[in-house]
């Protein structure tokens, strides 16, 4: 299990490096640890930078651990196609306590690699599409705060800064 990195740590706001070595014990360990960490936090997605690893890897499970067959591991994902739009509440394990409406594409198709380096293509709609876009953003150093109005974003940043000062973050 990993400690989840919180907003304020610069690793969350820098683009991650592609993964070039597959099928290694280290990669398998990282994936399993990330899935455990995500489940323990009751999240639906977790990106490697959120556990302090600046690599293009993310895990998603819209059932929050209820159905292991729904676990998705995406390495080096690239969004190929976006359709429609949806607006709904979004949060992030690295920004606990803050949830805001974010507009995203309603349907997304991405290409990625699995732990063996084999190509995979995943199409998701609604919540899965939202999770995929949120997680790919993480790998590019983008947090959901960047999708909010500057006013809302600054308000949240100010609150977090206060919490950091007070040692509550
Ligand atoms: Ni997040």
């Amino acid at each position: 299990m990993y400690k989840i990195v919180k907003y304020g740590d610069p690793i969350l706001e820098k683009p991650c490096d592609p993964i070039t070595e597959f099928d290694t014990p280290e990669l398998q360990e990282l994936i399993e640890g990330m899935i455990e960490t995500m489940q323990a936090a009751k999240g639906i997605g977790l990106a490697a930078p959120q556990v302090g690893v600046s690599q293009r890897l993310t895990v998603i499970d819209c059932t929050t651990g209820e159905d292991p067959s729904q676990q998705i591991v995406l390495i080096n994902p690239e969004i190929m196609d976006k359709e429609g739009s949806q607006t709904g509440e979004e949060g992030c394990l690295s920004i606990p306590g803050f949830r805001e409406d974010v507009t995203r594409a309603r349907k997304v198709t991405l290409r990625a690699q699995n732990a063996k380096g084999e190509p995979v293509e995943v199409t998701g709609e609604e919540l899965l599409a939202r999770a995929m876009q949120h997680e790919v953003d993480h790998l590019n150093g983008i947090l959901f705060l960047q999708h909010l109005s500057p006013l809302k974003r600054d308000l949240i940043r100010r609150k977090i800064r206060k919490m950091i000062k007070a040692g509550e973050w």
Side-chain angles (χ1 to χ4, degrees), residues 6-7 12-13 45 47 50 88-104 130-131 133-150 152-157 160 169:
K6 284 188 185 172
Y7 178 73
L12 294 175
E13 294 182 88
Q50 293 181 278
E89 219 181 55
E90 201 167 306
C92 179
L93 293 175
S94 293
I95 314 174
F98 295 92
R99 297 185 66 84
E100 293 291 340
D101 275 353
V102 176
T103 299
R104 303 263 190 195
R130 175 176 297 284
Q133 292 168 87
H134 179 112
E135 298 310 321
V136 170
D137 267 0
H138 269 299
L139 304 183
N140 293 324
I142 296 168
L143 299 168
F144 83 89
L145 301 182
Q146 280 173 255
H147 293 279
L148 306 179
S149 70
K152 261 192 191 158
R153 184 166 57 231
D154 289 347
L155 189 68
I156 292 174
R157 280 190 181 144
I160 293 173
W169 186 245

Side-chain angles (χ1 to χ4, degrees), residues 19-32 35 55-59 71-77 112-120:
I19 290 182
T20 53
E21 279 187 63
F22 296 88
D23 219 2
T24 64
E26 291 78 18
L27 182 59
Q28 202 51 44
E29 209 171 286
L30 176 60
I31 291 168
E32 281 165 24
I35 289 172
Q55 294 186 0
R56 302 186 76 81
L57 160 63
T58 176
V59 294
Q71 279 169 13
I72 300 172
V73 175
L74 300 172
I75 300 174
N76 303 328
Q113 285 163 285
N114 63 19
K116 291 185 172 164
E118 298 159 344
V120 292

Side-chain angles (χ1 to χ4, degrees), residues 121-138:
E121 190 172 296
V122 183
T123 297
E125 297 184 39
E126 311 288 344
L127 184 60
L128 178 55
R130 175 176 297 284
M132 294 198 306
Q133 292 168 87
H134 179 112
E135 298 310 321
V136 170
D137 267 0
H138 269 299

